[in-house]
């Protein structure tokens, strides 16, 4: 809009003078002219009378044509008087001389000035009308443009109201919305900023009344004098109010028969509304209403489109629940809820735990850091609004949580929202949960939004049912696959350890159990030994040889009763024993592994929150336990068969070996005999040669050495013949064990030296003789010493000691080494046949030794040393016993 020029401003300022003020200026100028002209005419002559044109021009300019002509006539009369009185002219010379011509000039000046003023006034009026129209159209265009372009409703209405206040040069404005379904008004926004709540509330009430009036009449309502109208609620409205009202203008917004609302503009000073202003208000109201209706339709279309797209997305997600998961679908629903219901600030879906009968938040939006706290809140049926909805199955809309008695706050912190709407999530009569929206505004949600929330609740119910169905199918498929896999391994594998380990890992991975383990029953004492466990925890328990006594813990209780046992709260079970490596266990299921009523072990399942165990888990684990029972029985039968076959094979091998040893013994006896004859001849020759005289001292010394070595060789051959001579069943004879040890050492000294093994012997000097078979005790000593030497592959120390035990009437023989020790897995059965960890051993040497010691009425024991190596202890009686 153009701004007025500087000259126009001066002219407009003069026009603002009152009619009386204008006449006063003209009279004043005339008086000044009269006084000054009377004085000046005497000094400068009659030419000074031309100054009369000045008041004529002023009068014509201020007062128009009539004022200019009147002023010119008055100037002619006054000028004639001045000429006669002060100029020295006679009447005749004035009226019959040149003065009439001057009078005509004065009159023309007045006429012309008045006409020019009329022309200028007409021009200014036209320009003002054009400027006013231009301003109106410009502001109206800006108003409609802002309505169309500004997306945020708050800003849209703010600019709309401010533009209307500026358009009609009002002081205050109120924008009121008409709620057609409820047939009531609601103030959207106002330009009033006042701390006087009472006055503001009164004015809002008046604005609502005017809105109802203009919408009813569909006409502009212009109130020029509010204090004396029906809208003067009380005297404070126009006198004592913080924003006094003198005039009001009500503009209805009605488009195509739809009532949208109204704008109420107020004036602090009296204002007379012209027909042109009323017409402009009507036009502005119609145009703004049309734009608002268009925007509203567009918003509605966009809303429907968003609803359609959101429901389509949810529908696609529902069809892909298997891929995206239930949590993702529910989160999509709450996200869509916040998007589709504009007033929503927070949204949450609670799911009902059928077992515990509590509602727990599953998907939330808008809670920021408080989302974790919301997920920890547990709501029971009939507790709070959500609890009421889950019981009644109906949507509840709380317009103000501060005043509605149905609302119950959780905790001591007051809620940050004012409006709450909760809809049920249910499938038929089956209650699944609730969906809730919250807003900090009072009465934030409409009936349409209530229906929309119910529809979203239905979508959530479909998602949950689909997820449950899918979960059930997947669970059944997993169970079938698990049982099939275990059955296949049962057919293909005869290794019980491998089968149990595969079953444990399959259950833990496929069904996401916290921990899976299998205990087997130890036949000797009935203890339950942890045979196989899942993850690293199972490995640690296995390394610790973890075991439970019968009746100890849930596993021991199951083994004792022979029946499955499960709980989802182990803290409530008095006989539960918590394992330090499994501190988070909350649920446990133990199923006996038995066949024909005989307990072979226990299959134990443990779970942690939020997961729990149920009937399907019992069914699955029981089926797996039955398969494991068959597998263990089959494996045990196979193991017994293998043991029998190995025993038979070992016996055949031992018979062959015994035959070889017997042959070797016969060969050795023959070779020893053949070597003994020439050796005796050599010894005899050496004895004779030593008696010869004439031998030098050095020769005699060398001869003694040769003779000594020949005697040593003869003794060695004698020991070999005695060692490998077949044992005879002669009567027991007294023998000295210390001497037998010396004989054995003499046989193996070279072997020990080559293997860098030192030998230490601590004999008891008071060791008595004992009755026995020398050859057999020697064989025991030789077996123990050779085993010790083979255990020290990188050298070491072999220690033998003897001790007389007077009180028990026994001698104690100990053989200790610093080798690798005995494998703990075979230590308890080391003296059984075919038990060995040596690659080339038969496992019969210690068994034979055990039999010999037992035959002599003694006993033998093996143990690992605390540092390294092993020690074998042999007790032999010093008197013959009945069992010998």
């Amino acid at each position: 809009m153009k701004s007025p020029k500087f000259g126009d401003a001066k002219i407009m300022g003069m026009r603002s003078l009152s009619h009386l003020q204008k006449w006063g200026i003209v009279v004043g100028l005339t008086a000044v002219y009269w006084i000054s002209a009377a004085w000046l005419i005497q000094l400068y002559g009659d030419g000074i009378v031309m100054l009369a044109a000045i008041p004529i021009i002023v009068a014509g300019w201020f007062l128009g044509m009539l004022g200019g002509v009147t002023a010119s006539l008055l100037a002619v009369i006054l000028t004639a008087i001045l000429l006669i009185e002060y100029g020295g002219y006679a009447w005749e010379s004035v009226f019959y001389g040149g003065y009439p011509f001057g009078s005509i000039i004065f009159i023309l000046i007045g006429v012309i000035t008045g006409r020019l003023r009329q022309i200028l006034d007409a021009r200014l009026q036209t320009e003002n009308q054009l400027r006013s129209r231009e301003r109106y159209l410009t502001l109206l265009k800006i108003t409609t443009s802002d309505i169309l372009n500004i997306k945020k409703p708050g800003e849209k209405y703010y600019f709309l109201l401010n533009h209307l206040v500026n358009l009609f040069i009002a002081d205050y404005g109120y924008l009121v919305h008409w709620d057609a379904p409820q047939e009531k008004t609601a103030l959207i926004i106002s330009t009033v900023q006042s701390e006087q709540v009472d006055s503001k509330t009164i004015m809002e009430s008046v604005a609502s009344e005017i809105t109802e009036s203009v919408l009813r009449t569909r006409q502009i309502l212009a109130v020029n004098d509010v204090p004396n109208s029906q809208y003067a609620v009380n005297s404070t409205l126009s006198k004592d109010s913080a924003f006094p009202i003198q005039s009001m203008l009500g503009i209805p917004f009605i488009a195509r028969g739809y009532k949208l609302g109204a704008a109420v503009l107020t004036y602090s000073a009296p204002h007379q509304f012209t027909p042109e202003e009323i017409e402009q208000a009507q036009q502005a109201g119609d145009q703004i209403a049309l734009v608002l209706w268009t925007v509203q339709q567009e918003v509605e279309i966009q809303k429907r489109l968003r609803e359609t797209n959101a429901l389509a997305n949810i529908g696609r997600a529902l069809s892909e629940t298997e891929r995206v998961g239930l949590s993702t679908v529910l989160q999509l629903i709450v996200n869509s809820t916040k998007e589709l219901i504009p007033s929503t600030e927070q949204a949450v879906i609670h799911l009902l735990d059928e077992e515990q009968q509590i509602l727990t938040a599953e998907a939330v939006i808008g809670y920021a850091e408080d989302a974790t706290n919301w997920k920890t809140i547990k709501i029971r049926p009939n507790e709070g609004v959500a609890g009421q909805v889950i019981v009644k199955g109906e949507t509840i809309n709380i317009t103000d949580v501060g005043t509605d008695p149905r609302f119950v706050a959780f905790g001591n912190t007051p809620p940050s929202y004012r409006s709450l709407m909760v809809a049920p999530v249910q499938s038929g009569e089956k209650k699944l949960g609730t969906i809730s929206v919250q807003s900090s505004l009072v009465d934030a949600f409409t009936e349409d939004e209530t229906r929309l929330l119910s529809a979203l609740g239905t979508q959530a119910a479909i998602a949950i049912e689909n997820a449950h169905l899918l979960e059930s199918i997947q669970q059944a498929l997993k169970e079938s696959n698990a049982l099939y896999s275990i059955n296949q391994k049962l057919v293909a594998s005869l290794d019980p350890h491998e089968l149990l380990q595969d079953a444990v890992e399959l259950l833990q991975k496929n069904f996401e159990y916290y921990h899976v383990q299998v205990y087997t029953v130890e036949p000797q004492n009935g203890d339950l030994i942890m045979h196989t466990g899942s993850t690293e925890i199972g490995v640690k328990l296995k390394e610790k040889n973890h075991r439970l006594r019968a009746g100890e813990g849930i596993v021991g209780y199951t083994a004792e009763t022979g029946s499955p046992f499960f709980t989802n709260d182990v803290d409530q079970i008095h006989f539960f024993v918590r394992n330090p490596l499994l501190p988070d266990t909350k649920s446990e299921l133990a199923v006996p592994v038995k066949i024909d009523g005989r307990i072979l072990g226990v299959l134990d399942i443990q779970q942690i929150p939020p997961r729990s165990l149920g009937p399907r888990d019992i069914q699955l684990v029981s089926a797996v336990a039955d398969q494991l029972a068959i597998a263990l029985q089959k494996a045990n039968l196979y193991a017994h068969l293998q043991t029998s076959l190995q025993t038979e094979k070992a016996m055949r091998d031992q018979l062959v070996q015994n035959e070889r040893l017997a042959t070797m013994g016969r060969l050795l006896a023959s070779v020893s005999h053949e070597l003994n004859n020439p050796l005796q001849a050599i010894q005899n020759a050496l004895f004779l040669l030593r008696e010869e005289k004439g031998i030098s001292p050095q020769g005699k010394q060398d001869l003694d050495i040769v003779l000594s070595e020949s005697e040593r060789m003869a003794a060695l051959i004698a020991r070999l013949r005695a060692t490998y001579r077949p044992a005879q069943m002669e009567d027991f004879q007294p023998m000295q064990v210390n001497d037998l040890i010396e004989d054995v050492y003499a046989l193996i000294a070279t072997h020990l030296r080559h293997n860098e093994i030192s030998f230490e012997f601590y004999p008891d000097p008071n060791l008595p003789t004992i009755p026995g078979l020398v050859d057999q005790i020697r064989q025991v000593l030789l077996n123990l010493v050779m085993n010790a030497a083979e255990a020290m592959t990188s050298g070491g120390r072999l220690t033998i000691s003897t001790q007389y035990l007077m009180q028990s009437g026994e001698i104690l023989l100990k053989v200790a080494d610093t080798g690798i020790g005995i494998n703990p897995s075979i230590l308890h059965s080391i003296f059984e046949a075919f038990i060995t960890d040596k690659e080339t051993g038969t496992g019969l040497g210690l068994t034979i030794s055990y039999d010999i010691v037992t035959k002599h009425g003694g006993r033998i024991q093996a143990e690992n040393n605390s540092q390294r190596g092993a020690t074998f202890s042999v007790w032999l009686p010093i008197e013959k016993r009945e069992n010998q």
Side-chain angles (χ1 to χ4, degrees), residues 59 202 213 282 415 431 553 562 624 632 724 762 811 823:
I202 292 172
S213 176
Q282 186 68 52
K431 310 295 179 59
V624 173
L632 288 175
Y724 289 98
Y762 299 99
I811 68 167
N823 191 329

Side-chain angles (χ1 to χ4, degrees), residues 273-291:
F273 295 102
T274 65
E276 182 181 3
E277 288 178 324
I278 295 175
E279 182 182 358
Q280 288 180 351
Q282 186 68 52
Q283 293 175 354
D286 292 342
Q287 188 165 350
I288 291 173
L290 183 60
V291 175

Side-chain angles (χ1 to χ4, degrees), residues 152-170:
K152 294 183 178 179
E155 293 183 4
K156 184 194 304 291
Y157 295 134
Y158 171 79
F159 282 107
L160 168 60
L161 185 58
N162 276 276
H163 288 324
L164 286 175
V165 169
N166 292 332
L167 181 61
F168 294 99
I169 317 176

Side-chain angles (χ1 to χ4, degrees), residues 367-427:
Y367 289 98
E369 298 178 355
D370 296 330
T372 304
N373 296 333
W374 263 95
K375 290 193 174 183
T376 59
I377 294 177
K378 310 296 183 183
I379 305 174
R380 298 190 178 279
N382 270 328
E383 182 180 28
V385 179
Q388 298 174 47
V389 169
I390 198 66
V391 172
K392 297 179 180 179
E394 299 176 354
T395 301
I396 295 179
N397 185 8
I398 304 294
T399 58
D400 189 349
V401 298
T403 59
D404 197 312
R406 293 175 295 178
F407 176 77
V408 177
F410 292 95
N412 298 324
T413 304
S416 58
Y417 51 89
R418 296 294 299 276
S419 296
L420 172 65
M421 182 165 60
V422 186
V425 176
Q426 58 186 15
S427 177

Side-chain angles (χ1 to χ4, degrees), residues 16 70 195 223 230 256 260 360 408 416 448 467 512 557 560 588 648 654 767 813:
S16 63
T70 303
E195 297 181 354
V223 183
Q230 60 177 332
R256 301 185 180 181
L260 306 177
T360 306
V408 177
S416 58
D448 287 341
E512 299 181 356
Y557 176 82
E560 191 174 53
E588 185 169 1
E648 181 185 0
Q654 185 62 30
L767 191 72
L813 167 67

Side-chain angles (χ1 to χ4, degrees), residues 12-271:
M12 292 174 66
M14 292 180 182
R15 290 189 65 193
S16 63
L17 297 175
S18 66
H19 197 66
L20 186 59
Q21 289 174 333
K22 294 176 182 179
W23 274 107
I25 293 173
V26 173
V27 172
L29 288 175
T30 303
V32 170
Y33 164 70
W34 176 264
I35 296 170
S36 60
W39 176 61
L40 293 174
I41 197 171
Q42 299 177 18
L43 298 178
Y44 300 105
D46 55 5
I48 200 66
V49 297
M50 294 305 295
L51 291 175
I54 294 176
I56 295 172
I57 294 173
V58 172
W61 186 258
F62 278 169
L63 304 175
M65 179 71 74
L66 179 60
V69 173
T70 303
S72 63
L73 293 176
L74 183 59
V76 170
I77 295 172
L78 292 176
T79 300
I81 295 173
L82 286 173
L83 290 175
I84 294 172
E85 291 293 331
Y86 300 101
Y89 286 87
W91 284 98
E92 295 82 1
S93 60
V94 172
F95 291 102
Y96 298 104
Y99 183 67
F101 178 74
S103 299
I104 294 172
I105 292 176
F106 285 155
I107 293 171
L108 288 176
I109 290 174
V111 171
I112 292 172
T113 302
R115 182 57 182 166
L116 287 175
R117 180 53 188 268
Q118 288 179 343
I119 295 173
L120 183 58
D121 284 346
R123 175 176 170 272
L124 289 176
Q125 184 177 3
T126 302
E127 288 184 357
N128 287 338
Q129 290 177 348
L130 291 175
R131 287 179 184 142
S132 176
R133 187 66 179 175
E134 181 182 5
R135 177 179 177 276
Y136 166 78
L137 293 176
T138 301
L139 287 177
L140 188 59
K141 179 181 178 182
I142 294 173
T143 302
T144 55
S145 176
D146 285 348
I147 295 174
L148 292 172
N149 295 328
I150 297 177
K151 300 304 181 184
K152 294 183 178 179
E155 293 183 4
K156 184 194 304 291
Y157 295 134
Y158 171 79
F159 282 107
L160 168 60
L161 185 58
N162 276 276
H163 288 324
L164 286 175
V165 169
N166 292 332
L167 181 61
F168 294 99
I169 317 176
D171 294 311
Y172 305 106
Y174 301 84
L175 195 61
V176 183
H177 170 69
W178 175 253
D179 188 341
Q182 300 185 13
E183 294 188 350
K184 67 177 184 178
T185 59
L187 181 66
I188 299 176
I189 193 173
S190 73
T191 60
V192 177
Q193 301 294 332
S194 173
E195 297 181 354
Q196 298 186 13
V197 179
D198 292 340
S199 298
K200 186 175 180 180
T201 304
I202 292 172
M203 194 56 231
E204 291 176 358
S205 176
V206 173
S208 297
E209 184 180 353
I210 291 177
T211 298
E212 293 178 2
S213 176
V214 296
L215 291 177
R216 185 172 55 255
T217 62
R218 300 175 180 265
Q219 298 293 328
I220 297 294
L221 176 61
V223 183
N224 296 324
D225 188 6
V226 171
N228 297 318
S229 70
Q230 60 177 332
Y231 302 105
V233 178
N234 52 40
S235 59
T236 60
L237 186 61
S238 58
K239 296 179 181 179
D240 302 330
S241 174
F243 34 95
I245 306 302
Q246 297 295 325
S247 301
M248 285 192 303
L249 180 65
I251 305 174
F253 297 143
I254 302 174
R256 301 185 180 181
Y258 292 97
K259 299 177 182 180
L260 306 177
V264 179
L265 308 179
T266 63
Y267 298 79
S268 300
H271 186 87

Side-chain angles (χ1 to χ4, degrees), residues 665-678 717 721:
R666 291 192 296 270
L667 179 62
L668 180 60
S670 175
V671 172
S672 299
H673 177 73
E674 294 298 328
L675 289 175
N676 189 53
N677 292 333
I717 291 174
R721 292 177 65 188

